[in-house]
Amino acid sequence: MDGILEGVRPKPGGISMTSEHIRIVNITFVGKKDAQEILHKLWKDEYLDMEKVVSHAAGQKELFLWKVKKVAHWEHILNDKYHAALNLSQKIAYNIEQEHEVLQRREKPEQLKNSRMILELSLLKLDDALLLFHDL
């Protein structure tokens, strides 16, 4: 049951929280009300699956079971990595253009070269991460 959280529907006197909600609140440093709102937003954005369960044990209670959609997470993270790679590539191209302009004015492009080197190393690391992440 890893990744499943139990939540209770709001009651007339306020929101009742399960021990799992309280654990999430303590781990993430968000308030009880915020935790339930965040779970709802994640469900609307299709990061979570939700199932409503009615418990008849000690009175009738409506519970929500939350489960993380791992495939959706993988796709979003992979998409973010591709966007980051594109941004780095564009920044590198811009720096190369700047270096050429500086060379034409016969100035020293040391800072631009250092910046480009850092960007290229970052792109290589991101590329490695993409390959590893894509194989999972």
Side-chain angles (χ1 to χ4, degrees):
M1 288 288 193
D2 188 43
I4 296 179
L5 309 172
E6 292 184 33
V8 195
R9 194 169 212 14
K11 295 182 178 180
I15 296 174
S16 176
M17 302 292 285
T18 64
S19 60
E20 289 295 322
H21 265 113
I22 293 168
R23 195 171 79 191
I24 292 171
V25 168
N26 291 336
I27 291 171
T28 58
F29 303 108
V30 297
K32 293 178 184 180
K33 185 177 180 181
D34 293 337
Q36 196 153 4
E37 289 175 11
I38 291 169
L39 287 171
H40 188 264
K41 286 179 186 176
L42 289 171
W43 172 71
K44 282 191 143 207
D45 291 338
E46 297 182 0
Y47 283 104
L48 300 174
D49 280 328
M50 177 188 63
E51 182 179 341
K52 186 163 88 170
V53 179
V54 179
S55 171
H56 298 287
Q60 189 170 345
K61 292 183 181 179
E62 289 183 338
L63 303 171
F64 290 100
L65 299 178
W66 303 91
K67 184 176 180 182
V68 175
K69 289 184 178 180
K70 291 181 182 178
V71 174
H73 281 292
W74 290 114
E75 290 173 359
H76 286 285
I77 291 170
L78 195 57
N79 191 30
D80 288 344
K81 288 185 181 290
Y82 283 129
H83 281 286
L86 175 65
N87 290 341
L88 282 171
S89 296
Q90 290 174 339
K91 182 66 176 174
I92 290 169
Y94 176 76
N95 274 18
I96 290 172
E97 287 177 22
Q98 294 294 318
E99 282 181 39
H100 288 294
E101 289 177 13
V102 167
L103 285 173
Q104 288 175 355
R105 292 186 302 228
R106 299 177 194 250
E107 296 175 10
K108 293 184 179 180
E110 295 302 319
Q111 185 178 4
L112 288 171
K113 283 183 182 179
N114 291 339
S115 175
R116 183 171 49 98
M117 187 182 306
I118 291 170
L119 290 169
E120 287 174 347
L121 290 173
S122 297
L123 185 59
L124 287 173
K125 288 180 183 179
L126 183 60
D127 189 44
D128 289 343
L130 274 168
L131 290 173
L132 289 172
F133 195 85
H134 194 270
D135 290 340
L136 297 176

